[in-house]
Amino acid sequence: MRCVIANFPFDFIKSEVQRMMAGIQPEEAVGPCVLIDDRTYPVKQVGEVITKQDRRDFTAGEVTRALTKLGFTCVNRPAAGALETSAWPGMEL
């Protein structure tokens, strides 16, 4: 599938992304993340590996859109200790 990340065109297939991420230890999963082979990776980490670009050069949204089109499940993981509305009964955030 052709996609554009940081103004550069790439052609990816799902199995190629899985192969590239095999053996890569996932960083702490916070914010936009993707599930690849039962592991949760930050999308910026995956984007850096598959594009070989610095992660400051692209957005998480660009990589999330590309990975979703390839059939990966993308989720948003809150930071550890993030406030939940149930933590403050009677107050709406």
Side-chain angles (χ1 to χ4, degrees), residues 13-35:
I13 56 174
K14 187 173 183 175
S15 61
E16 178 183 16
V17 172
Q18 290 170 314
R19 182 186 54 75
M20 293 173 83
M21 294 307 296
I24 304 274
Q25 186 66 31
E27 296 172 359
E28 182 180 357
V30 176
C33 296
V34 59
L35 303 172

Side-chain angles (χ1 to χ4, degrees), residues 14-93:
K14 187 173 183 175
S15 61
E16 178 183 16
V17 172
Q18 290 170 314
R19 182 186 54 75
M20 293 173 83
M21 294 307 296
I24 304 274
Q25 186 66 31
E27 296 172 359
E28 182 180 357
V30 176
C33 296
V34 59
L35 303 172
I36 300 175
D37 295 332
D38 297 327
R39 295 178 132 187
T40 303
Y41 295 90
V43 294
K44 289 279 218 167
Q45 180 184 13
V46 175
E48 185 175 54
V49 171
I50 66 175
T51 66
K52 297 180 179 36
Q53 295 180 343
D54 189 288
R55 59 181 78 185
R56 295 173 293 183
D57 294 338
F58 54 83
T59 67
E62 290 175 302
V63 180
T64 299
R65 280 188 295 277
L67 293 172
T68 300
K69 286 182 181 180
L70 285 172
F72 290 104
T73 301
C74 294
V75 296
N76 196 24
R77 294 280 168 102
L83 289 178
E84 294 187 22
T85 55
S86 62
W88 299 90
M91 292 186 70
E92 292 186 29
L93 299 177

